Amino acid sequence: MNWRIEVAVQTPAHAALGDLLSYHGMQALPPGTLVRVPLGKREVLGVAWQSRPMTEDDAALALKPLGTALDTLAPLGDAWRDLVAFAARYYQRSLGEIALAALPPQLRDLSGVQLARRLKRQGNATADVSDARALPAEATASAEQASALRRIEAEPGPFLLFGSTGSGKTEVYLQAVATLLARSPTAQALVMVPEINLTPQLEARFRARFEGRFGAGAVVSLHSGMTNPQRLASWLAAHAGTARIVLGTRMAVFASMPTLALIVVDEEHDPSYKQQEGARYSARDLAVWRGRREGAKVILGSATPSLESWYQSRPAAGDDPGGRYARLAMPSRIGAGALPAVRLVDMRLQPAKTVLSGVLLDAIGQRIARGEQSMVFLNRRGYAPVLACADCGWKSECPHCSAFRVFHKIDRTLRCHHCGFTERVPRACPACGNPDIAPVGRGTERLEEHLGELFASVQRPDGSPVRIARIDADSTRKQGALESQLAAVHAGEVDVLVGTQMIAKGHDFRRITLVAAVNPDGALFSSDFRAPERLFSLLMQSAGRAGRDAAYLAAQGTTAEMWIQTQHTDHPLFTALRRHDYPAFAEGELAQRRAAGMPPFAFQALLRADARSQEAAQAFLNAASAAAEALEGADQVARYPAVPLAIQRVANVERAQMLVESASRAALQRLLAQWQPVLHGLRRTPEGKGVIRWLIDVDPQQI
């Protein structure tokens, strides 16, 4: 019998080819089977979605024949395909784009024979693993941890684990996973972290806890920092069920795990869970959806939850039935350690152009004298944000972007952090020839240099010079650089650590007793309504790096401190931060958002257009807005005027956006679904001329 087989393949973005392509096969294929199919002049990997007997009408279509089925691999399950289908539908992308992006890249290049060999090798390696050893003893849970674990065991969730920094959230994850694996011999757990640099220490803790019983292959990682063969091996282990625990970044939410029973999303507030290229999905939100679809419990953990999650975990009150999440509170630090005292330095009272106030320098000096560590946080890498000429006003603008190139002193380059364009620093001003061009502003490189100069004459207790280190995207570019630098901090080989947000979250530094934020004011009055939320989270997470070891503080006879240099000491954000009072901050922010009709009280999407000119980009968006008037339910969705992005030109491409908003998520989704074919059609009209690409970003995190 001849069969019509519908296959999901990765078609070009906005090609309007539809979700599934049809092929002719000689036999039916189980849904979820990986297949190789012809597409144009290439043969590509696809996922068989459904099969049905061919009709006479199908025969008249002269469908291309199906290629090879990779049937040595078990088909991808119904739950996985439902997750992919939901993500494609909700985030307005093609089914094939989501499905193929969720698979390890190396799968696309393997033939059926090569895949069979790979599976055989992996099976042999798994069979050699001994599981005779017992699990190491678990840490004794505190009263708050035990209460949280009891509720996780007894209630369906999803759970928001609201625990202060250092309260032991990771131990709750470990014990929840241990309970799950002990109950079922096949159950799997997925644990996600927001960034790659947080995976090594988490992986070490999970391996130490679980490999003794379940073997070396029981814990695997999935993230973009791995090589393609490593990612394939981890994915195959998860798909086969031999990997009991998968640790990963946002991409891991799509891991094929046939017996998934628990999902943990650590630091759930982090914007890194939202993909910013291609299919712009939220891994946190998909984790909640996946847990509900597969009957898996979901734990979202954070010391500073996103306002959406906080609102969803609100208790019932009066006519309000409350949120969908169960809130688990762990306000105390393990070991009864106190949260760091927050000290504000009013920079309005400091001399002009002061970088580090005298009181802060004195506090850091006292830490150095006692052999303690300090951390200075500045969320701007490079030496200086711009190089400028005082004579003619020339600045180091990027010729391809509407942004300045950052001055990097170490390699004497001007580097655009948007398009990557890099040049050597000119000997003189390119505009007027003035040799006296100077850096303006400060980045982590310049701050590191400045601290080195200030403490050049200071000695450590053993008489050696002060050691200052910097951790940011530039200093950790080489393979293994981040791991070695973090190891040096943990070993006490660094006195003052300078860095960006890379060092502000998740790391368990035991000897740091002082954290300082040098210049955080920029986010207080940003046009992005989420900026204060992100700033509060970043500062509270930064503060959490200090004083994590109560025994160490007691032995040193010291207290942990968080210093913030600001020109707005009376701002409500800092008032709440001084009390470590996230609920008060969240209450104020939610009241403002409710009054303004912003998320979580409204639902948003961005329609973005990239074009050769700003006029072309905005003309396309305005035409799209006008065309939406005729769509069903358009009166329930507000469409704002098209505007340029904050950085409107990147790599010689002009960018514009239009905000779309509704009080109803369903109404917004209905409009977006109807809008897709209209937008495809607009590309072929005069209004679409000059448009390079367009995209829809649902639930955008940056506006």
Side-chain angles (χ1 to χ4, degrees):
M1 180 183 291
N2 294 322
W3 292 82
R4 176 170 176 162
I5 300 175
E6 308 290 347
V7 180
V9 298
Q10 192 159 18
T11 54
H14 308 304
L17 291 177
D19 274 341
L20 298 169
L21 301 184
S22 299
Y23 292 89
H24 167 230
M26 300 305 294
Q27 60 183 23
L29 291 178
T33 301
L34 293 181
V35 293
R36 303 197 69 82
V37 295
L39 182 65
K41 296 181 180 180
R42 300 176 297 138
E43 187 178 72
V44 299
L45 184 69
V47 182
W49 221 256
Q50 59 190 34
S51 304
R52 61 177 174 81
M54 287 187 69
T55 64
E56 290 183 7
D57 292 340
D58 293 334
L61 294 175
L63 299 176
K64 288 185 177 181
L66 195 74
T68 308
L70 307 183
D71 49 13
T72 53
L73 187 71
L76 295 155
D78 292 346
W80 184 89
R81 285 182 288 110
D82 286 350
L83 173 68
V84 166
F86 169 78
R89 186 170 63 250
Y90 185 82
Y91 293 105
Q92 304 296 315
R93 309 298 294 197
S94 75
L95 192 64
E97 180 185 10
I98 299 287
L100 272 296
L103 299 176
Q106 198 174 24
L107 263 182
R108 302 174 193 178
D109 304 321
L110 296 180
S111 67
V113 174
Q114 290 170 322
L115 180 59
R117 284 199 204 112
R118 184 64 187 259
L119 290 169
K120 185 176 180 181
R121 283 202 309 271
Q122 190 138 342
N124 291 338
T126 303
D128 290 339
V129 172
S130 169
D131 62 353
R133 293 171 291 163
L135 274 171
E138 292 178 354
T140 302
S142 68
E144 291 174 359
Q145 289 173 328
S147 174
L149 287 163
R150 282 194 298 270
R151 290 190 61 187
I152 291 169
E153 179 73 12
E155 300 174 25
F159 303 95
L160 176 64
L161 183 61
F162 171 48
S164 66
T165 53
S167 62
K169 293 186 290 296
T170 304
E171 184 60 33
V172 172
Y173 306 152
L174 286 161
Q175 295 202 27
V177 171
T179 301
L180 170 80
L181 300 190
R183 184 187 306 120
S184 168
T186 59
Q188 294 175 293
L190 170 63
V191 182
M192 292 197 295
V193 291
E195 295 183 6
I196 294 172
N197 66 64
L198 297 178
T199 54
Q201 66 178 24
L202 188 69
E203 187 173 346
R205 291 189 66 175
F206 271 83
R207 288 191 186 281
R209 185 70 63 91
F210 296 110
E211 281 191 346
R213 173 179 296 176
F214 300 107
V219 181
V220 300
S221 293
L222 269 178
H223 56 75
S224 59
M226 302 168 68
T227 65
N228 284 344
Q230 288 172 334
R231 279 174 63 179
L232 178 61
S234 293
W235 187 90
L236 290 174
H239 179 64
T242 55
R244 305 293 304 281
I245 302 165
V246 174
L247 309 175
T249 50
R250 62 176 176 261
M251 68 162 60
V253 76
F254 288 110
S256 174
M257 302 176 69
T259 53
L260 182 63
L262 175 68
I263 304 176
V264 173
V265 185
D266 191 26
E267 309 291 3
E268 66 85 29
H269 65 276
D270 199 291
S272 298
Y273 282 119
K274 183 71 157 67
Q275 172 83 353
Q276 293 299 331
E277 298 293 336
R280 301 186 171 214
Y281 63 87
S282 165
R284 178 199 65 203
D285 296 348
L286 287 180
V288 174
W289 190 94
R290 185 174 188 179
R292 186 170 63 246
R293 164 63 179 83
E294 301 191 37
K297 294 194 177 185
V298 178
I299 304 172
L300 310 177
S302 178
T304 54
S306 64
L307 289 179
E308 287 82 358
S309 296
W310 185 255
Y311 182 69
Q312 285 295 346
S313 69
R314 69 194 186 280
D319 295 334
D320 183 356
R324 296 183 293 120
Y325 302 167
R327 186 183 299 171
L328 313 175
M330 296 200 311
S332 305
R333 276 188 154 184
I334 293 297
L339 289 165
V342 177
R343 304 190 183 281
L344 302 180
V345 180
D346 192 339
M347 297 304 286
R348 293 169 295 187
L349 306 179
Q350 300 293 319
K353 298 184 179 180
T354 297
V355 179
L356 296 167
S357 61
V359 285
L360 174 56
L361 289 172
D362 182 59
I364 294 174
Q366 291 178 31
R367 259 59 185 187
I368 293 171
R370 293 197 297 264
E372 300 166 19
Q373 293 175 316
S374 301
M375 187 177 93
V376 182
F377 165 71
L378 175 64
N379 209 19
R380 178 181 287 158
R381 61 189 172 102
Y383 188 83
V386 63
L387 207 59
C389 173
D391 283 2
C392 71
W394 172 88
K395 293 183 178 64
S396 55
E397 294 180 0
C398 176
H400 310 296
C401 306
S402 52
F404 295 112
R405 284 175 292 164
V406 175
F407 172 41
H408 290 257
K409 186 177 181 180
I410 289 177
D411 57 4
R412 300 292 297 176
T413 60
L414 292 174
R415 191 181 309 158
C416 178
H417 290 174
H418 299 280
C419 73
F421 178 68
T422 302
E423 282 186 329
R424 297 289 296 172
V425 173
R427 294 181 179 274
C429 173
C432 71
N434 173 26
D436 190 20
I437 51 176
V440 178
R442 285 179 190 272
T444 48
E445 270 185 35
R446 194 175 189 184
L447 184 59
E448 178 190 21
E449 179 183 271
H450 187 54
L451 281 163
E453 294 167 351
L454 291 170
F455 290 105
S457 60
V458 177
Q459 293 183 334
R460 302 177 66 249
D462 61 4
S464 61
V466 173
R467 298 163 300 186
I468 298 171
R470 171 172 54 89
I471 294 181
D472 56 25
D474 298 312
S475 70
T476 58
R477 195 169 295 166
K478 292 182 180 178
Q479 183 91 19
L482 176 62
E483 290 78 4
S484 64
Q485 288 176 316
L486 290 175
V489 178
H490 289 301
E493 297 170 4
V494 173
D495 299 304
V496 182
L497 176 63
V498 178
T500 58
Q501 64 180 9
M502 285 180 68
I503 62 172
K505 47 195 175 184
H507 298 292
D508 192 17
F509 300 125
R510 311 304 290 182
R511 304 186 192 192
I512 286 180
T513 59
L514 181 147
V515 172
V518 174
N519 184 22
D521 287 351
L524 293 176
F525 309 103
S526 169
S527 58
D528 186 346
F529 69 90
R530 282 193 171 89
E533 176 187 359
R534 287 197 291 265
L535 177 61
F536 187 91
S537 171
L538 196 54
L539 292 177
M540 202 157 173
Q541 293 285 335
S542 301
R545 300 316 105 207
R548 296 178 70 86
D549 190 334
Y552 178 75
L553 290 175
Q556 294 289 106
T558 189
T559 56
E561 294 179 339
M562 169 73 173
W563 289 71
I564 299 173
Q565 296 191 156
T566 176
Q567 300 203 26
H568 305 278
T569 53
D570 55 350
H571 195 283
L573 185 147
F574 294 130
T575 303
L577 191 68
R578 293 186 73 171
R579 300 195 305 262
H580 298 278
D581 194 349
Y582 173 81
F585 168 77
E587 182 181 354
E589 284 292 301
L590 285 172
Q592 292 182 33
R593 292 198 189 179
R594 188 192 296 272
M598 290 179 174
F601 307 102
F603 303 93
Q604 297 178 330
L606 282 176
L607 175 61
R608 207 180 95 183
D610 295 353
R612 291 300 176 195
S613 69
Q614 187 63 216
E615 293 75 19
Q618 293 196 32
F620 176 82
L621 296 177
N622 291 329
S625 181
E629 287 286 354
L631 301 178
E632 182 182 350
D635 57 334
Q636 299 179 55
V637 181
R639 299 178 307 284
Y640 293 88
V643 294
L645 269 71
I647 307 293
Q648 72 177 55
R649 189 177 82 259
V650 171
N652 294 322
V653 173
E654 293 284 340
R655 311 184 302 167
Q657 65 185 11
M658 180 171 65
L659 179 64
V660 185
E661 188 176 69
S662 176
S664 165
R665 191 195 299 271
L668 178 62
Q669 282 288 319
R670 280 194 299 270
L671 181 87
L672 295 178
Q674 295 177 75
W675 219 5
Q676 281 274 0
V678 174
L679 293 168
H680 284 300
L682 274 176
R683 283 295 301 274
R684 297 185 289 271
T685 66
E687 289 83 357
K689 188 176 181 181
V691 173
I692 299 169
R693 55 187 166 263
W694 58 269
L695 62 88
I696 293 175
D697 184 0
V698 180
D699 300 334
Q701 290 299 299
Q702 295 180 337
I703 300 177

